[in-house]
Amino acid sequence: MIQKTTAAITAVSGFLPEDKLTNFDLEKMVDTNDEWIRTRTGISERRILKGEGLATSDMVVPAVKLLCEKRGISPEEIDCLIVATVTPDMVFPATANIACDKVGAKNAFGFDVSAACSGFLYSLTLGASMIESGRYKKVVVCGADKMSAITDYTDRNTCVLFGDAAAAVLLEPNNDGFGIQDSLLKSDGSGVAYLHMKAGGSLRPASIETVTAKQHFAFQDGQPVFKAAVKGMADVSAELLEKNNLTGEDIAWLVPHQANLRIIDATANRMGLSKEKVMINIQKYGNTTAATIPLCLWEWENQLKKGDNIVLAAFGGGFTWGATLVKWGS
Ligand code: UT7
């Protein structure tokens, strides 16, 4: 029997800015406190990309360089770079394009995917399909967000949540069945009201008025998003297991988007998974939007075993949500 070509994850990497913003720092900036932030979200600190002229691509570049080093390949061997982000360097051209140039990926084409916190799963599914088609051999999928660029540090509803980071995986063809097995991706544009950036797009181009009204920052109505996220992430993860005839017992790891510890717990419970099987680093990095899932894979890489069934799950602005099943190994 001819084994279908799958897209294996053959390397993982990331980039974390050095500067930390702790809950205690935030206490001095807005009317909040460490206890509220930790109990309501699970976050203790986050990383912030500081420095004049530094953008999302400046986090993508070191992540892609490290990925190539780890795999022992030259950036010139990359066929395609997909960057999932809601904080591109510019509205256009794509951050992926800029990063390809900076990293020396001369033979690659690149494009960005805008799906907020689900951006990495959307991009991973796309990248896997490109590998499965047989047309491409090395696709890099990177989740990267400089959330500090669109965060209002006078708004306690949002500024305690977000951080900056990038993380990436390399996808390559595999004939032993390892890698991306299945994905369920969903979206519901009616969720736009609850999580969005009001201005800077074609609907409301930047003007003195939009700047004065602070419309270039992420806006979130937390509770409706929370409710939709708990249901969306848990439902889609359960649906993915059922579709693949798996139960929580068959799953080695859940890699949830890190937006709120309470959403993560609800998803793990629904899947019947104990806490030891759930990757959680929200306390250190906060919500880094598209970067959270690959950042976890990078951090837990040494604990992953060949053949492990791993469920990646996300929910984010749009609304967008989804879950992906990965068989670890190459
Ligand atoms: O990653 C993309 C998807 N995003 C998510 O999944 C996020 C989903 N939403 C959430 O995680 C939660 O809704 C938040 C963490 C954003 C907020 O938690 P919450 O338990 O829903 O709090 P809340 O918005 O209902 O606010 C409760 C109270 C309010 O005070 P009153 O009206 O009860 O007096 C807020 O004003 O907490 C107050 N509050 C704060 N207090 C201290 C809101 N933010 C803060 C703060 N510090 N930073």
Side-chain angles (χ1 to χ4, degrees):
M1 198 182 80
I2 298 167
Q3 174 81 43
K4 160 177 172 285
T5 298
T6 51
I9 295 177
T10 55
V12 192
S13 73
F15 174 81
L16 285 159
E18 271 175 29
D19 277 295
K20 290 179 184 170
L21 180 68
T22 68
N23 291 352
F24 301 103
D25 296 328
L26 285 161
E27 281 182 359
K28 293 176 206 139
M29 297 159 68
V30 288
D31 179 15
T32 190
N33 58 79
D34 173 59
E35 213 247 327
W36 190 97
I37 304 172
R38 273 190 295 102
T39 52
R40 294 291 179 119
T41 70
I43 304 167
S44 293
E45 59 185 42
R46 43 317 274 131
R47 300 297 180 93
I48 305 293
L49 183 68
K50 285 192 182 160
E52 196 63 34
L54 293 182
T56 296
S57 68
D58 296 299
M59 299 191 290
V60 175
V61 167
V64 174
K65 277 188 180 158
L66 179 60
L67 196 68
C68 291
E69 263 169 50
K70 283 178 75 176
R71 183 66 181 138
I73 62 165
S74 148
E76 293 185 10
E77 291 178 57
I78 299 170
D79 295 316
C80 176
L81 170 64
I82 309 175
V83 174
T85 188
V86 290
T87 52
D89 289 20
M90 300 175 179
V91 171
F92 77 91
T95 306
N97 261 340
I98 297 167
C100 279
D101 176 50
K102 287 184 181 174
V103 89
K106 292 198 180 96
N107 299 307
F109 68 101
F111 60 94
D112 293 356
V113 167
S114 173
C117 302
S118 309
F120 182 76
L121 293 193
Y122 277 41
S123 304
L124 188 67
T125 306
L126 206 54
S129 304
M130 291 168 67
I131 296 284
E132 287 160 15
S133 76
R135 193 182 290 261
Y136 303 102
K137 303 290 177 221
K138 286 184 173 52
V139 175
V140 174
V141 179
C142 184
D145 272 298
K146 185 187 170 190
M147 291 305 291
S148 62
I150 58 164
T151 298
D152 176 2
Y153 287 98
T154 64
D155 174 16
R156 71 174 184 176
N157 290 304
T158 51
C159 73
V160 302
L161 303 173
F162 298 111
D164 302 338
V169 300
L170 176 64
L171 296 177
E172 293 184 79
N174 185 276
N175 293 315
D176 298 314
F178 292 106
I180 316 310
Q181 307 292 305
D182 197 10
S183 258
L184 287 174
L185 302 176
K186 319 240 178 188
S187 66
D188 175 3
S190 69
V192 66
Y194 308 111
L195 184 48
H196 59 256
M197 193 164 103
K198 292 188 194 306
S202 57
L203 177 65
R204 236 176 256 137
S207 66
I208 289 171
E209 288 74 28
T210 62
V211 172
T212 309
K214 297 186 168 188
Q215 292 181 342
H216 296 272
F217 294 122
F219 165 86
Q220 177 170 249
D221 185 357
Q223 283 211 358
V225 180
F226 183 88
K227 280 186 197 144
V230 166
K231 185 165 169 17
M233 219 159 93
D235 279 359
V236 76
S237 304
E239 190 185 337
L240 183 73
L241 289 191
E242 204 175 312
K243 186 175 165 223
N244 287 277
N245 296 315
L246 299 169
T247 68
E249 303 239 311
D250 304 308
I251 302 304
W253 294 98
L254 168 66
V255 191
H257 169 54
Q258 315 275 311
N260 189 314
L261 194 53
R262 292 179 288 150
I263 301 172
I264 295 172
D265 288 343
T267 305
N269 282 341
R270 176 74 184 281
M271 292 171 72
L273 290 183
S274 60
K275 257 217 150 138
E276 303 78 66
K277 288 182 166 188
V278 186
M279 295 188 194
I280 299 171
N281 59 14
I282 189 171
Q283 69 281 5
K284 294 189 284 186
Y285 311 126
N287 183 350
T288 55
T289 304
T292 60
I293 291 175
L295 210 51
C296 282
L297 290 174
W298 184 41
E299 187 167 340
W300 267 263
E301 190 185 2
N302 291 338
Q303 294 181 55
L304 303 179
K305 296 191 195 75
K306 199 166 182 169
D308 276 354
N309 285 320
I310 305 177
V311 171
L312 319 178
F315 188 94
F319 293 139
T320 57
W321 68 106
T324 298
L325 178 66
V326 177
K327 192 176 275 298
W328 196 254
S330 57

